Amino acid sequence: MKHLLLAVLSGLLLAFGWPTYGFPVLLFIGFVPILLVERDLRISQIRWKKWTVFGYSYVSFVIWNFITTNWLQYADVFGASFAILVNSLLMALLMVLYHSVAKRAKSTISLLFLMCLWMSFEKLHLGWDFSWPWLNLGNGFSEYFTWIQWYEYTGTFGGTLWVWIVNILIYKLIIKYQFEKSVKNLKKDGIIILCVVCLPIIFSLTLYYTYTTEGEQINVIALQPNIDPYSEKYNVPNEAIADLLLQLTNNEITEHTDLVVAPETVFADNVKISQLKDAYFKRKLDLYISKHPNLNILTGISFINFITDASQIKEQSNYHSSGFWYDDYNSAMMLNTSDSIQLYHKSKLVVGVETLPYKDIIKPLIGDFMIDLGGTLAMKTTQDARSVFVTENPNLKVGPIICYESVYGEFVTGYVRNGATVLAIVTNDAWWGETQGHKQHLSYARLRAIETRRDIVRSANTGISAFINAKGDITSSLAYGTQGALSGTLTTNDKMTFYTWAGDYIARIAIFIAIFVFLITMFRKSKIS
């Protein structure tokens, strides 16, 4: 019973340390109870130790995953169950690997392995087909962003490293107390822990209050049409959507407005790329721009491209039962007085909704299974590079980030490396209703602002649309579930942060260390440590 209670405690500490409702200090002790459970089992004489470690760990991580991400069920119960149960399974397997190494190595080495293994797992979640980095530990400070201004140097992996170092120090402090039974000898360790927690915060606050931007002020409008994606969005003609967007824009536009941003796939009635130039809804937008020649309109749009040449069929292309192939795109588009249309196709896709992971393996087993969230049930086609939309103003270069892409730190730096001076997030968070889903998604955008030191405009179909400055402050926002337009200013920035240049270097170092320690220790005989 003691071990079960400790496992439950770990899950609750991690869950209630999570944004947007939690207090992240709890993350600093969240892993300690399950580490104590693992140690008790390791030095015990029970059988099936690995399975027991797995069982208690799974309890901890299911609790954490369920409390923080159960909002997924509002879009799809199966998808939510898969994400929660499988992600918890993977986390529990990490504890089993740690248990195997801890039997063969000294405590410090095995704990180093666990820390690096966890960061390796988080890096995996940023890149593999079942990508789900929502619970990467560095995200846990998104509401307490004044504590982690140094993410401009480390990215979120700096936060993960911070969490694990403190957990390990507290865990070792407890083990030391169990041996010595004296508080007097623990003062030095306690001071070290306090410094490890407080010094990064002090450094961060210094960065926060001294950071200044020197770029150009850009006047921007974020549109929030508030269209129900389940019952309305995919049944409204693009021409009617254009009228609505222009009506909302008229409420806020001035002669100084530089940029208008509309949400992800707001033009949801699939447009053939070859016919876009002459589409009636585009003509409406072009006419509006002609009356406001300084204006740039960035909007989400759904595209389709029918393939007539078999050599153009891609891995992500879709086959229709009528006998033809086509590419389906979730895209961003920018229009201005230029004759050219700038396009970007979403490239970080939602598993089960926009992409079928490991298609060659899974398709023969379950067929073309895709979760129905409205619109076309098809795999989306991506692009390799991060497009940056340019304007006649040489200082205004916009990185168009589409929805789920905003959760990926190193991915977003690609826009900045390609010249983006501001970032625009277009999204549709209505699938989850009034839950933590859209709140966490907005909160994570603060991390991208800090990592790249770029101001962000966020246009969300049902909300929360917002302006976020380069320090992570939400300077203004439009409430969830309301229709309207939000005007504000962004400050351009053409300087690159260290993280933008170096990317997830902490994770890469961690992967190397984890592999090295694992290979060395697994050749040793088991021992109690």
Side-chain angles (χ1 to χ4, degrees), residues 42 49 99-105 521-529:
R42 184 178 1 117
K49 289 183 182 181
H99 173 74
S100 298
V101 169
K103 292 190 298 182
R104 295 169 169 84
T521 56
M522 291 309 290
F523 286 104
R524 294 179 178 176
K525 292 183 178 180
S526 180
K527 68 176 184 178
I528 296 177
S529 62

Side-chain angles (χ1 to χ4, degrees), residues 71-72 125-126 128-134 264 330 346-351 354-355 401-409 411-412 425-429 432 441 444 448 458:
W71 45 266
L72 287 165
H125 252 334
L126 290 165
W128 71 324
D129 280 10
F130 281 108
S131 178
W132 179 238
W134 206 267
E264 175 189 20
N330 180 350
K346 184 180 181 182
S347 299
K348 279 293 185 182
L349 305 177
V350 180
V351 177
E354 297 174 316
T355 182
I401 305 167
I402 302 177
C403 191
Y404 191 47
E405 294 180 329
S406 65
V407 184
Y408 295 80
F411 180 90
V412 169
I425 297 174
V426 296
T427 187
N428 177 27
D429 292 345
W432 317 304
H441 196 199
Y444 292 174
R448 308 292 86 82
R458 188 178 195 268

